[in-house]
Amino acid sequence: SQPSPSADQARKTPPTHTQVMGAALSKPAFIAAAVALPAYETYKALQASAPHDDGAARGSGSGGAGAAVVVAEGDESADVRQRRLLKYWLVLALYQCARYVGDRSVAFVPVASPLYSLAKMAAVAWLLQPQARGAVWAYANVVRPLLLRHEASIDAAGARAAAWAAAQA
């Protein structure tokens, strides 16, 4: 008997990354390679261009040092806007990495799932909202201090991974 066309086609279709690596490894590997690594490179670029810029407002004002300043979209320079958008991308990328872990943790608690989904949407809205400048605040108060504290060990791990990859080639 001849195989059906769909069975013949299935043999010619290359396996997906999930089939090759398995579901338990493919998603974390994808997140590490496609999200976390570019996010860290974005951090390194931000640090190289202005190592002391934590994103907080400088100068005087009623809020004192570190107070958020609401700037109209047209009032910021191209460089300031670019840095703000890079900080948004970096915070969102790390949020995506954390969300992957959180999604698996909350999946076991059915009552929390609807609230968790609303909280995720609210977090992204806050990050995006221009007046709140949530991404700039999160970069200055959470992401940058965390990455500064662990930068040496992250760089060392990256160097070891690059050496291993070069040895495999």
Side-chain angles (χ1 to χ4, degrees):
S1 98
Q2 288 192 347
S4 66
S6 61
D8 189 41
Q9 184 180 10
R11 281 193 296 270
K12 292 180 183 176
T13 305
T16 65
H17 68 280
T18 302
Q19 292 168 328
V20 171
M21 296 177 66
L25 293 178
S26 64
K27 187 72 173 191
F30 173 80
I31 287 175
V35 180
L37 183 59
Y40 187 67
E41 290 298 322
T42 300
Y43 161 76
K44 296 292 272 186
L46 283 167
Q47 284 298 104
S49 65
H52 302 293
D53 176 20
D54 63 0
R58 304 276 189 255
S60 63
S62 61
V69 174
V70 178
V71 178
E73 194 73 26
D75 291 346
E76 60 184 6
S77 70
D79 183 56
V80 169
R81 185 169 197 270
Q82 182 180 37
R83 291 185 64 76
R84 180 175 54 83
L85 292 172
L86 283 171
K87 290 171 187 174
Y88 167 76
W89 144 247
L90 173 58
V91 171
L92 184 66
L94 296 178
Y95 164 82
Q96 288 294 96
C97 294
R99 196 192 85 176
Y100 173 72
V101 174
D103 286 353
R104 268 109 201 108
S105 302
V106 172
F108 298 109
V109 185
V111 175
S113 293
L115 297 175
Y116 179 65
S117 296
L118 287 173
K120 289 189 306 185
M121 289 185 345
V124 171
W126 177 72
L127 290 174
L128 273 170
Q129 215 270 338
Q131 288 77 19
R133 300 217 181 243
V136 173
W137 182 91
Y139 176 80
N141 295 294
V142 179
V143 173
R144 184 172 179 267
L146 181 72
L147 291 176
L148 279 171
R149 190 174 7 200
H150 298 287
E151 188 170 8
S153 60
I154 294 169
D155 288 344
R160 285 191 306 273
W164 178 84
Q168 302 307 310

